[in-house]
Amino acid sequence: MGITRSAIEESLKSFISEDIGLGDITTNALIGQSQKGTGWVTCKEDAVVAGVEESLVLLELVGCAGKSLVDDGKPVETGVKILSAQGPARALLGVERTMLNLLSHMSGIATATADLVSIANKASKDKVRVACTRKTAPGLRYFEKRAVELGGGDTHRLRLDDAVLIKDNHLAFSGTIEESVRKARAAVSFTKKIEVEVANADQAVLAANAGADIILLDNMTPQEVAKSVELLKRKRLRNNVIVEASGGIRKENLASYAKTGVDIVSVGTITNSARAIDMSMKIRSTVS
Amino acid sequence: MGITRSAIEESLKSFISEDIGLGDITTNALIGQSQKGTGWVTCKEDAVVAGVEESLVLLELVGCAGKSLVDDGKPVETGVKILSAQGPARALLGVERTMLNLLSHMSGIATATADLVSIANKASKDKVRVACTRKTAPGLRYFEKRAVELGGGDTHRLRLDDAVLIKDNHLAFSGTIEESVRKARAAVSFTKKIEVEVANADQAVLAANAGADIILLDNMTPQEVAKSVELLKRKRLRNNVIVEASGGIRKENLASYAKTGVDIVSVGTITNSARAIDMSMKIRSTVS
Amino acid sequence: MGITRSAIEESLKSFISEDIGLGDITTNALIGQSQKGTGWVTCKEDAVVAGVEESLVLLELVGCAGKSLVDDGKPVETGVKILSAQGPARALLGVERTMLNLLSHMSGIATATADLVSIANKASKDKVRVACTRKTAPGLRYFEKRAVELGGGDTHRLRLDDAVLIKDNHLAFSGTIEESVRKARAAVSFTKKIEVEVANADQAVLAANAGADIILLDNMTPQEVAKSVELLKRKRLRNNVIVEASGGIRKENLASYAKTGVDIVSVGTITNSARAIDMSMKIRSTVS
Amino acid sequence: MGITRSAIEESLKSFISEDIGLGDITTNALIGQSQKGTGWVTCKEDAVVAGVEESLVLLELVGCAGKSLVDDGKPVETGVKILSAQGPARALLGVERTMLNLLSHMSGIATATADLVSIANKASKDKVRVACTRKTAPGLRYFEKRAVELGGGDTHRLRLDDAVLIKDNHLAFSGTIEESVRKARAAVSFTKKIEVEVANADQAVLAANAGADIILLDNMTPQEVAKSVELLKRKRLRNNVIVEASGGIRKENLASYAKTGVDIVSVGTITNSARAIDMSMKIRSTVS
Amino acid sequence: MGITRSAIEESLKSFISEDIGLGDITTNALIGQSQKGTGWVTCKEDAVVAGVEESLVLLELVGCAGKSLVDDGKPVETGVKILSAQGPARALLGVERTMLNLLSHMSGIATATADLVSIANKASKDKVRVACTRKTAPGLRYFEKRAVELGGGDTHRLRLDDAVLIKDNHLAFSGTIEESVRKARAAVSFTKKIEVEVANADQAVLAANAGADIILLDNMTPQEVAKSVELLKRKRLRNNVIVEASGGIRKENLASYAKTGVDIVSVGTITNSARAIDMSMKIRSTVS
Amino acid sequence: MGITRSAIEESLKSFISEDIGLGDITTNALIGQSQKGTGWVTCKEDAVVAGVEESLVLLELVGCAGKSLVDDGKPVETGVKILSAQGPARALLGVERTMLNLLSHMSGIATATADLVSIANKASKDKVRVACTRKTAPGLRYFEKRAVELGGGDTHRLRLDDAVLIKDNHLAFSGTIEESVRKARAAVSFTKKIEVEVANADQAVLAANAGADIILLDNMTPQEVAKSVELLKRKRLRNNVIVEASGGIRKENLASYAKTGVDIVSVGTITNSARAIDMSMKIRSTVS
């Protein structure tokens, strides 16, 4: 991932406007147009940092110069300064909250991701990848998927046009798994993978035989997942497919899933339920 | 709050586009243009529901008809169906994830808010109001403030042009509290309130004497907060000001703050760290 | 007020496009891409200048460098040059009309405001503030409120989410003044003021007793306004509220209103009926 | 003129949003979602009405039904109701100010235009057309040109790509009038007219000889204008060109210009300095 | 493919505005607001029709009702009427050119695609698929890919985030084919395919061995392509990969490529060089 | 033509986003953020170049520096490098396809235009101008008209508000040619020309007599066109009007039309059916 600067700018400008409205009346009342300031963003808990790159753009958009003190994707401990900024005091104060909101939100997701990645790596000897899902906050798909990537996770489908994923709700309309995979293969581009969500080991075999590229074992216990992987192996289908487990997986049970022999474990909560990382910004008059 | 339908629509359309991209290739491959479906959204944990109104607009935007089964702001128990929808199967599948993401996100915030409101009410005999802050996900200010309102919370400042809030970072440039309040009063419209963030009881008195409308007691212990309220009372300033406590307040210590005699307790985590509420949608072919 | 540069830019770009369409065909036909020019904007009548800051951005947006010769908010006499500009001749000619339109419009409002402010100050010994209303040209709210501010006026509510103002049209639905103030206080954030529009002195007392922050005396004669202020004083309510007079106030009768003891006099015509200030721009080839 | 409904809607939606922000907090606090209202807009001075068509769209955009009581372009006397509206009370109150602002602004321009058109018609026996210029409020070009048209005026150039108009500022770069007209003719499409601004009768002859389609007599006295027309006649050039007078023309001297034998008199103030027409809206609960 | 109606609408509205500007002055001058018309679009050459669905939306956007007489994707002969429309005469005339431009453009692409698909099918006994590329007109990606789909072609990558395609320009920076495939596999989501562009048979083998999902044989003669396929077969790699031929393929030599044993033949000219299909619209007054 | 840089930028940014989506996953996976590259665009067939100016803006938008090696509007032979670019390798690869698509498309139109202009000039001794029509790809009106201009063609009407063109479909509603011209003259601004489409010589005379500025001889043979011109001459109307021939004109028969004595020959296919010019870009690591 990593969109062009001009594309990020559009979003970032709208984020600033959303907070400033017709003007930061406090700052404009109290601080002169020519006063200069220096600011530091401090991370107030252990975290994997994300959003620094976007923050530097935010600062530039309001006429300030930012400097990254920690690279996106790096872990920091409580109290570490992650970026500094210089410029007109009004601009620093005007952008402060928007910047902290983005940093806290993205770092929260990166941190939650990194946490799970580390558990999965340990349990699977680096064989299992932790992926996010499309459970992202509306309007923030790019920023949240980017944060997952920075936390070491797999971004999974970016959008509904990205890959085929046949679920229960589709099968209710489209017939059997075999028939549905066949229809999808005929209709979509050769550049797309086809994934099928299944509820048990037998369906997993059906999907693999039908030519699915990926099998999603949905809402199964670790035991059922392991059994499904085993059956695929026995049927000599395991090497033809990527196997993903999903549904109800969380920090507590992640290790058990990671040991089942699947390739991917996907978790919705790393995007939609990550706690914001506590960060604050101190701004002081620049001594000249 | 409650913006016009046409203003919500712009955001909702962009949310749909973000997920669909150039088309839901799975659905288009598997389901015919004329197939009709019926769907239900089920809440899979106890929650205060928010986002139903927006969901009905989302459904209408893709050509489906939604029906609210639970009103926004109402509590539901696990397993309750909160809305139903009818229309072209392709449209229901295409909008499913966007709708669930918005419902889960807004309901998460409303639920977290209601939880704290109930604690504060009990501790303060309904005298203390729980407010959110400007710690919202970029781009989602309206939806998150609306969810707080539905959860029974106070929306606080919507934007930086809404009211004056003089903080530490301002005082570093603008001089004393008295001077800063005076400057603000002269510069901003008579329609705006002026709030001052203070770090201790003495500053609270200074701010009240300077004519602040609201005093924000920041990062104090419940004891310090109580002491500040007491001092204001002794100086006969308590009735002139609204007193807000903020900083480090969370579910565990909320009751102690709520008992200090303040009017408002504000909490950033109800917007930036609320867990999404687990919801799912089942879609089936409409029997005609 | 004073929004971020990037937010102004969006509006200013759309203003330029509105005038240029698919290209300034006259200029492109007559002037070479490499010709450079210098221009001066001259104010052709006495005025308070507004829009210079925005003009410098306009010039920069088309690749020219502007220089302010008079600061926004300052009075000038006929014939004074208020800004100069240098850059590609094509760009100067292309932006000329848009820049003059904005300068003339904003300066017209600032001038009308300053005129009334001076009358009110004299009549009230600097005690009464002149405010504008929400009677602004659609799409130009920011620019017109900003011009009022530069002319020394109060910007009043920026939007309908800014403060509560209970009017006749609301009371037709919401019951008595007391009940309405109570409902509003319960529903809106503690950060918002509540203003009530009243038609006579008794209603003013009702509103003040109900806890309104601001009383708007609407469409009263100066005598009725004075009487209302008097009654509030007698009831010891005057110090609890800000008193605003509005409705039918214009240059001719402003002094009489300003002497009534109110705090604020608001006038719709300074935004919606201000004459544009006559300005012109001369552009000449840069001698190199 | 008359753009498509969908194009108007974009502007109108942004006008509504500009005023409502994150919600009409007064109305939402005081009026229930199911309350219905009826409203009437009354014109409080004699005027030519403009903006009714746009108002009906505004009303529809917020879910109300409007009814035109007076057609755009028609004169009304003080006290006449120009439109009525029905729908949710919240929506009526939320759109009220935006609708009145647009109606007052457009009607102000239409009224000023009609006033001058009537003077010009009388003075010239219907031979002279009153035109506006590009002196319009930024962002409102369409609405102001449309109001001129409704007032009976000529819309002149809509944008810089519409027709060629060679002015003093161009000639400073492009050489003689003859040379400039020749260059323009070679460079622009055959579908465009070429107009030349001149400062005296001799230049008018030069421009006409050079093949200009329109001659703009700029900043001349009525006598100089008449003399220029006379000279063009003597040189047998009058029938080849349209003659426009402009610069410093206002209500007081319009008749003298209209009698000079020109075809067009253009006036910047009908768009940039027209007073808003006073209008108000009364909203009452719908008796069902 | 097939985006939501609301997403198409945004584009279609901008297309209409682009042509109408501030109003269709011809139509507004000549035709009354209440006149009704009926129109028919006739295809004036043999073609595969595309754009009818979008045309019905265009018509609805301007307040007319359209009726499809031929489904998108169907072949028609010269003279066939493909859609009819009813509504205000002004609206029909205002949308005519925009609708014809879209229909002609999309049908041109669908026709060119269908032509090549038929050749490829015949030459390969339905085994080879014709794909387009990312060589689309800026801003029209969706409409052109959709037209390819309607013509029976494969849409290939929709965007750069869709699938990995390692080309010569990448290899100049990223090292060997093996190394590049390995890096890509580690960095991108498991939901993405990896394609490698190669210049000869040996590179094809390298890419297949490296684990590429798709091999793009670029700018080879049919003989070289056939040889590469043969080598892959000999190395037992043919079944692991999809093989695509591209570069310099056109109608004249398509059959030779289609016989080489590849899976996909991709052709840039079906999007960027397709001739518009000649269509016209006749509009007549509706007899009521 | 030639819109402001900021107006072009909006379109160009959307073109880039359309191709990049949420990120160029290939490039991001394979190339480091600090790697620098140099690129050259080579024209692979004889062409008239267009789009270089826009390409330099595209490059700047992604943080690269471009250099024009050939000016827009100049002819080049196969193999000529038309521009070079330097900057971050990721940015060069990300913008490559968008830039080539725009260059190929615009150069295709400029080349087709120049080809016809040269034929027309030779046949008419430089008296006849080749014009395009409004048959442009939706959304690309500016870029295609600009390419026509660069190819030496006339841009004709830019939009429906540009000039009046009365066609068959209008006459079906508006009555006779005379009546329609009269209505149009009364309704539209004096700055607009009026053109009338006619089907034969007699109608041409009617239109000229009615005061049309331009006569469009539609779908006539060269013989009929010549006869119409002759009749206009005989009636002494030829000098009053510009005469345009249109309908079914293509490279093969253009010379015959150019010899008929008309002023303008307009051809839809130079915009809607021009073949893209084949161009490619080579990017290599910058040796530092």
Side-chain angles (χ1 to χ4, degrees), chain A residues 180-189 194, chain B residues 29, chain E residues 129 153-154:
Chain A
S180 299
V181 172
R182 193 184 42 71
K183 275 192 211 169
R185 191 65 77 198
V188 307
S189 171
I194 293 177
Chain E
R129 214 157 165 168
D154 186 297

Side-chain angles (χ1 to χ4, degrees), chain E residues 4 15 76 150 216 223 240 286:
Chain E
T4 58
F15 296 163
V76 297
L150 288 167
L216 170 55
Q223 293 68 32
N240 301 351
T286 300

Side-chain angles (χ1 to χ4, degrees), chain A residues 181-215:
Chain A
V181 172
R182 193 184 42 71
K183 275 192 211 169
R185 191 65 77 198
V188 307
S189 171
F190 69 98
T191 56
K192 307 289 187 185
K193 287 193 176 175
I194 293 177
E195 178 166 13
V196 180
E197 181 188 286
V198 300
N200 55 50
D202 290 343
Q203 286 187 336
V205 170
L206 281 179
N209 271 324
D213 297 297
I214 313 170
I215 310 289

Side-chain angles (χ1 to χ4, degrees), chain B residues 2 4 8 11 14 68 82-83 101 117 122 133 153-154 156 160 166 178 181 199 204 215 232 255 276 285:
Chain B
T4 57
I8 293 185
S11 296
S14 76
S68 160
I82 61 173
L83 69 79
N101 284 348
V117 166
K122 188 179 289 178
T133 65
D154 186 295
H156 214 296
L160 287 168
I166 303 173
E178 294 88 334
V181 171
I215 311 289
L232 286 169
S285 180

Side-chain angles (χ1 to χ4, degrees), chain C residues 13 16-17 20-23 28, chain F residues 1-4 6 10 142 159:
Chain C
K13 282 179 191 172
I16 298 172
S17 290
I20 294 207
L22 296 195
N28 293 340
Chain F
M1 293 182 66
I3 52 175
T4 58
S6 67
E10 293 312 297
Y142 170 75
R159 277 179 300 260

